[in-house]
């Protein structure tokens, strides 16, 4: 399994400092819906403290938590890829403090500094690969448990 990557610690110091010039400190009270699937994705966050659940609406009345993110984790990647819409929803599981980044401003910085852009995209790709691997493992666990509990 790939190792969990933290965006701000993965970037070289000079690139991290440039990116942090765009950071804005924000907070979300517990149970705040930070974003909903299908909404416009124009920003991302790096969680400083607290926890956020990523969820997926599976029926009109049921949401399923697909991941829980905590300190150091990047929240939101849809700002980087067309059509710039959230694929999941995000809810603050506890009080959350985070750095917020405006997506278009970060993309502008990436054009201005192509090495930072390459580092950022590679790091986001590593984060996504790890999350995909983790999700696949959870799905396999659920499938195995259901097969064991199903009558033959």
């Amino acid at each position: 399994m790939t190792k969990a990557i933290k965006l701000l610690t993965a970037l070289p110091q000079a690139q991290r400092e440039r990116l942090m010039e765009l950071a804005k400190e924000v907070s979300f009270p517990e149970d705040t819906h930070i974003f909903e699937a299908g909404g416009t994705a124009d920003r991302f966050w790096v969680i400083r403290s607290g926890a956020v659940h990523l969820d997926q609406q599976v029926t009109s009345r049921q949401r399923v938590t697909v991941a829980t993110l905590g300190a150091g984790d990047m929240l939101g990647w849809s700002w980087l890829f067309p059509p710039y819409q959230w694929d999941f929803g995000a809810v603050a599981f506890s009080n959350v403090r985070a750095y917020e980044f405006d997506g278009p401003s970060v993309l502008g910085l990436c054009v201005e500094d192509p090495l930072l852009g390459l580092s950022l995209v590679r790091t986001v790709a590593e984060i996504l690969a790890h999350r995909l691997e983790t999700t696949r493992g959870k799905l396999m666990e659920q499938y195995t448990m259901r097969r064991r509990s199903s009558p033959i």
Side-chain angles (χ1 to χ4, degrees), residues 66-143:
V66 296
T68 299
L69 306 178
D73 287 330
M74 178 182 180
L75 170 62
W77 50 267
S78 298
W79 62 275
L80 191 54
F81 306 103
Y84 309 108
Q85 292 181 329
W86 301 117
D87 288 313
F88 300 98
V91 178
F93 182 68
S94 62
N95 291 329
V96 172
R97 291 178 39 227
Y99 294 118
E100 182 177 87
F101 298 88
D102 176 72
S105 296
V106 172
L107 290 172
L109 181 60
C110 291
V111 169
E112 193 179 296
D113 184 345
L115 288 177
L116 184 146
L118 178 61
S119 292
L120 182 68
V121 169
R122 288 185 71 154
T123 302
V124 171
E126 287 183 58
I127 291 167
L128 293 176
H130 175 74
R131 289 189 188 162
L132 179 61
E133 199 170 338
T134 301
T135 301
R136 182 176 53 214
K138 287 180 184 178
L139 288 172
M140 293 303 291
E141 269 180 38
Q142 287 181 357
Y143 175 76

Side-chain angles (χ1 to χ4, degrees), residues 14-24 101 109:
Q15 293 174 355
R16 181 174 52 251
E17 288 172 1
R18 289 209 62 203
L19 181 63
M20 288 304 294
E21 291 173 6
L22 300 177
K24 173 181 154 188
F101 298 88
L109 181 60

Side-chain angles (χ1 to χ4, degrees), residues 36-89:
E36 294 290 339
T40 301
D42 60 355
R43 62 198 64 244
F44 69 96
W45 300 264
V46 174
I47 300 169
R48 297 176 61 214
S49 65
V52 174
H53 284 200
L54 293 178
D55 62 25
Q56 184 69 55
Q57 192 85 35
V58 292
T59 68
S60 62
R61 287 185 255 158
Q62 184 183 11
R63 298 174 89 93
V64 173
T65 297
V66 296
T68 299
L69 306 178
D73 287 330
M74 178 182 180
L75 170 62
W77 50 267
S78 298
W79 62 275
L80 191 54
F81 306 103
Y84 309 108
Q85 292 181 329
W86 301 117
D87 288 313
F88 300 98

